[in-house]
Amino acid sequence: MSEILAPYLKAVEYIRSKSGGAKPEIGVILGSGLGSLGEQIENPSIIPYNEIPGFPVSTAIGHKSRLVIGDLGGKKVVAMQGRFHFYEGYTMEQVTFPIRVLKLLGINYLFVSNAAGGLNLSYRVGDLMVIKDQINMMPNPLIGPNAEEFGPRFPDMTHPYDVELRRLAFRLAREMGIHLQDGVYVACTGPSYETRAEYKFFRVIGSDAVGMSTVPEVIVARHCGLKVFGMSVITDLAREDMPDDYVKEIVKAANQATSKMTALFEKMIAAI
């Protein structure tokens, strides 16, 4: 057995032992405050991260830190209720460790979600943004010896988000009466929020939303050959003229948007 593969296979073996040997087709990563989709999974096997060999533990607020495997939209899925962030002190290898585990479990598709700040001046709190491209302001998770067992030394990133999955999302959203934005996500290390000058810079280089996750996972997913769909829930805006009840409105709009995202993800999974 390859030394590179060994820790991933150990995690896979444990997960299968706790899920009846399940071989999910689709993986889902649920970001801050977006874990409700995991509650829709039927016949679930629930595995806390701290039990899985090699898995870190998510310390971010709103992350349940557990794996849920079961049925959704007529498909076998595995959902991560909580992810790992570079700002938590984890290495990029640790941040992206679950992606390769999910690949070895058998998934072909990866759905990623996050809560993000809106940079595009036309966005509103509660908008759902389909991620069409990304800008990486973080260390690349593929730096170091290449894991040839997973993918090539220099993977193509011209289309990190699958075109057909994006088309499917917009078609289904129209049928469901859900409005979607279409934008570019920029990932920063955090944990500090960006300055006004940085917000301006990100707009100038073509960003529509900013966050502290997702991009490392997508890079590794594409390195593994997975088809990726990404969505951001716009929970706050990079503005200076926010109203006094700003925080209350964020919570309300984010909760409403989360239910829409959950419904859309389920429809997409059923249609794949």
Side-chain angles (χ1 to χ4, degrees):
M1 186 191 334
S2 163
E3 290 185 9
I4 291 178
L5 280 178
Y8 300 104
L9 291 174
K10 188 175 181 180
V12 168
E13 182 181 7
Y14 182 83
I15 293 168
R16 284 185 175 153
S17 74
K18 295 294 183 177
S19 61
K23 295 183 179 180
E25 306 168 58
I26 299 164
V28 186
I29 301 177
L30 301 167
S32 300
L34 305 175
S36 61
L37 183 141
E39 311 304 324
Q40 306 301 315
I41 294 175
E42 299 176 344
N43 308 311
S45 297
I46 299 173
I47 311 171
Y49 290 163
N50 61 6
E51 294 182 2
I52 304 172
F55 261 59
V57 175
S58 181
T59 65
I61 296 172
H63 291 241
K64 291 190 175 181
S65 202
R66 63 187 193 177
L67 207 64
V68 183
I69 302 175
D71 304 309
L72 185 70
K75 305 289 195 311
K76 186 68 70 176
V77 303
V78 51
M80 290 180 62
Q81 286 188 303
R83 55 155 52 90
F84 314 115
H85 303 82
F86 191 56
Y87 68 72
E88 293 175 85
Y90 294 123
T91 65
M92 276 299 174
E93 183 178 3
Q94 290 173 306
V95 168
T96 59
F97 182 86
I99 308 305
R100 287 172 172 161
V101 171
L102 299 188
K103 166 69 176 180
L104 292 174
L105 276 173
I107 71 166
N108 295 308
Y109 299 90
L110 181 68
F111 285 60
V112 294
S113 66
N114 59 58
L119 294 168
N120 189 309
L121 297 178
S122 70
Y123 285 6
R124 297 290 180 268
V125 170
D127 278 355
L128 296 177
M129 185 190 85
V130 174
I131 307 176
K132 65 181 178 182
D133 209 341
Q134 64 189 32
I135 296 173
N136 187 25
M137 305 294 289
M138 306 170 76
N140 192 302
L142 300 181
I143 290 173
N146 183 49
E148 294 287 346
E149 294 88 344
F150 291 106
R153 169 78 282 185
F154 302 106
D156 180 18
M157 289 295 292
T158 52
H159 296 287
Y161 298 91
D162 188 76
V163 173
E164 292 303 318
L165 289 177
R166 292 179 58 246
R167 287 175 180 163
L168 175 63
F170 279 99
R171 178 175 65 80
L172 292 176
R174 283 193 298 272
E175 295 173 2
M176 299 168 70
I178 296 174
H179 173 69
L180 298 179
Q181 303 285 7
D182 192 29
V184 176
Y185 177 89
V186 59
C188 302
T189 64
S192 57
Y193 288 113
E194 294 71 29
T195 66
R196 287 178 294 175
E198 287 168 336
Y199 283 139
K200 183 178 180 180
F201 168 66
F202 294 147
R203 287 194 192 101
V204 168
I205 64 174
S207 305
D208 297 288
V210 59
M212 303 174 189
S213 67
T214 301
V215 167
E217 299 155 341
V218 173
I219 290 173
V220 169
R222 293 301 301 133
H223 181 250
C224 289
L226 297 176
K227 294 183 178 181
V228 179
F229 176 79
M231 177 168 283
S232 295
V233 176
I234 305 301
T235 53
D236 59 284
L237 303 171
R239 311 279 174 81
E240 298 178 13
D241 57 345
M242 299 309 297
D244 292 337
D245 58 354
Y246 174 51
V247 175
K248 185 188 295 184
E249 289 303 310
I250 285 178
V251 172
K252 180 181 177 181
N255 286 340
Q256 292 174 345
T258 299
S259 63
K260 292 178 183 178
M261 187 201 76
T262 297
L264 180 59
F265 271 29
E266 187 169 359
K267 287 278 190 181
M268 290 183 67
I269 288 169
I272 291 176

